[in-house]
């Protein structure tokens, strides 16, 4: 256990927080997270493409980074992939989502 700003956390938790914050340093990924926070339902890649005016390849690549950071989860249905908010550490994600929801749309 480590003491970090008066809170006791494990090294694993600290690494998870760092990975999540790194994933959110990109404007497109931050906008994707904001969209998921606002709608609170699964969103397909094509909906991200339309909403963010992005190319399918770019949207998929950015969503994969968010998934690897534990911020979203995916579900494949045929050729379509759907993303939703998700993490094994709901408390961490809830705190990040509260922050993201308060951000203005930069698009």
């Amino acid at each position: 256990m480590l003491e970090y700003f008066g809170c006791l956390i494990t090294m694993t938790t600290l690494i998870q927080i760092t990975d999540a914050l790194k994933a959110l340093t990109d404007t497109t990924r931050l906008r994707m997270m904001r969209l998921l926070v606002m709608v609170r339902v699964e969103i397909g890649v094509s909906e991200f493409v339309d909403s963010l005016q992005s190319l399918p390849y770019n949207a998929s690549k950015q969503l994969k980074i968010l998934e690897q950071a534990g911020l979203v989860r995916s579900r494949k249905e045929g050729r379509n992939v759907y993303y939703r908010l998700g993490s094994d550490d709901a408390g961490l994600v809830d705190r990040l989502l509260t922050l993201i929801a308060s951000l203005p749309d930069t698009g």
Side-chain angles (χ1 to χ4, degrees), residues 25-44:
T25 60
D26 179 83
T27 304
T28 300
R29 292 191 295 267
L30 192 56
R31 291 180 66 209
M32 289 174 157
M33 285 297 295
R34 185 178 184 280
L35 183 59
L36 282 168
V37 168
M38 300 312 279
V39 299
R40 294 282 181 165
V41 294
E42 282 187 333
I43 299 178

Side-chain angles (χ1 to χ4, degrees), residues 72-90:
V72 300
R73 292 187 182 194
S74 66
R75 175 182 65 84
K76 190 167 185 168
E77 187 175 292
R79 293 181 56 160
N80 299 314
V81 181
Y82 297 90
Y83 290 86
R84 68 184 187 282
L85 298 172
S87 171
D88 293 333
D89 183 354

